[in-house]
Amino acid sequence: PTPAAAPTQCVGPTFRSVADKPTATVSHEVPFENVCVLPQTPQLIALLSMIRNKDTERADFIFYSNRIIRLLVEEGLNHLPVIEKTITTPVGRTYNGLGFQGKICGVSIMRAGEAMEQGLRDCCRSVRIGKILIQRDEDTAQPKLFYDKLPEDIAKRWVLLLDPMFATGGSATMAVEVLKSRGVPEDRILFLNLIASPEGITTFATKFPRLKVVTAFIDEGLDEKNYIVPGLGDFGDRFYTI
Ligand code: URA
């Protein structure tokens, strides 16, 4: 299918009038309730411009990816349950606040998803992190589960599934099926990714309507090699290869 035209928008701080703001390409919007796209702020668009640029060096790619990952993790955590919690401050006053409720864990889809683990650890001290390795089967060309190591009590946890590029959704679909087979309810899985394709988003909205997808940007589509376009190339290669 021909990729849909990318939406553009004026982006910039409020002290500038719309006429004074630069125009940038922003995320596609989709009509699915299970999808949460990060606000298209000037910071996010600038961070994405850094990591999408083919001339950005590895150290900068890592630094700016980590900033986006942090935003995704913080947004993902906002979708977890909280309870009322009243505390007393050092000056003897009470504050009606909230406390975290429920245990969580991260599950990274190897290898690129492992790049998102530190961002999760930075937000959630001593969080348990499992791993899933899915690769294309040479004979069938279908995704195949090669390895998994998941917390034994994963069925009782909320799961933040980590993979930076949500392209066809083949690996992510298999990862979700593994999680469900271990007893994790669909509505306790949050799939965090930096860039998603409309194809992947539509597949998940249809197959797993109760699972939440948190992404920084929905791109135009996929090319003939199933790379996301305009995308950023191969995330794992850019993050891990010197
Ligand atoms: N994985 C990547 O690293 N990049 C893409 O564009 C698609 C899948």
Side-chain angles (χ1 to χ4, degrees):
T2 328
T8 56
Q9 197 175 287
C10 293
V11 185
T14 48
F15 71 82
R16 281 194 170 181
S17 68
V18 166
D20 268 349
K21 289 184 197 184
T23 301
T25 303
V26 294
S27 174
H28 282 269
E29 283 180 19
V30 287
F32 304 122
E33 281 185 7
N34 70 321
V35 179
C36 169
V37 182
L38 292 186
Q40 303 293 292
T41 60
Q43 283 293 308
L44 179 64
I45 301 293
L47 298 172
L48 283 162
S49 306
M50 289 298 296
I51 65 169
R52 285 181 186 278
N53 187 342
K54 68 177 176 47
D55 295 325
T56 296
E57 288 175 8
R58 180 168 172 254
D60 285 331
F61 184 85
I62 294 171
F63 181 85
Y64 292 105
S65 295
N66 283 340
R67 280 193 57 193
I68 301 173
I69 291 164
R70 179 68 178 246
L71 296 173
L72 287 167
V73 172
E74 294 284 5
E75 178 54 32
L77 295 174
N78 278 329
H79 295 270
L80 303 181
V82 283
I83 45 164
E84 285 179 13
K85 185 171 179 177
T86 301
I87 55 90
T88 308
T89 72
V91 292
R93 299 295 188 91
T94 57
Y95 172 74
N96 296 325
L98 296 173
F100 306 124
Q101 194 187 33
K103 294 209 285 184
I104 68 160
C105 71
V107 171
S108 59
I109 302 180
M110 296 162 76
R111 139 190 95 148
E114 292 172 298
M116 300 174 74
E117 292 178 2
Q118 192 56 47
L120 179 58
R121 288 205 165 91
D122 290 343
C123 294
C124 308
R125 281 188 347 137
S126 40
V127 64
R128 298 285 309 272
I129 296 188
K131 290 179 193 287
I132 292 183
L133 175 64
I134 292 159
Q135 278 177 344
R136 187 191 287 256
D137 187 302
E138 296 280 318
D139 301 325
T140 64
Q142 293 300 309
K144 183 176 166 191
L145 176 66
F146 274 80
Y147 167 84
D148 70 84
K149 184 147 180 59
L150 301 169
E152 57 297 330
D153 61 349
I154 193 162
K156 296 197 200 114
R157 293 174 184 266
W158 289 77
V159 179
L160 279 76
L161 182 63
L162 311 174
D163 196 3
M165 302 297 279
F166 184 19
T168 61
S171 304
T173 297
M174 179 156 282
V176 170
E177 271 155 10
V178 171
L179 296 174
K180 287 175 76 170
S181 75
R182 304 293 162 86
V184 183
E186 195 176 299
D187 58 5
R188 282 214 237 123
I189 304 172
L190 291 117
F191 178 28
L192 310 190
N193 51 79
L194 281 83
I195 302 183
S197 74
E199 292 87 337
I201 291 281
T202 306
T203 301
F204 259 47
T206 316
K207 271 196 178 138
F208 310 121
R210 291 181 313 123
L211 175 156
K212 189 138 247 158
V213 176
V214 180
T215 188
F217 206 100
I218 302 172
D219 254 2
E220 283 170 38
L222 299 170
D223 70 8
E224 58 292 346
K225 290 184 183 158
N226 285 336
Y227 274 85
I228 299 175
V229 287
L232 52 70
D234 187 304
F235 187 95
D237 284 356
R238 297 194 65 188
F239 198 94
Y240 290 114
T241 315
I242 300 163

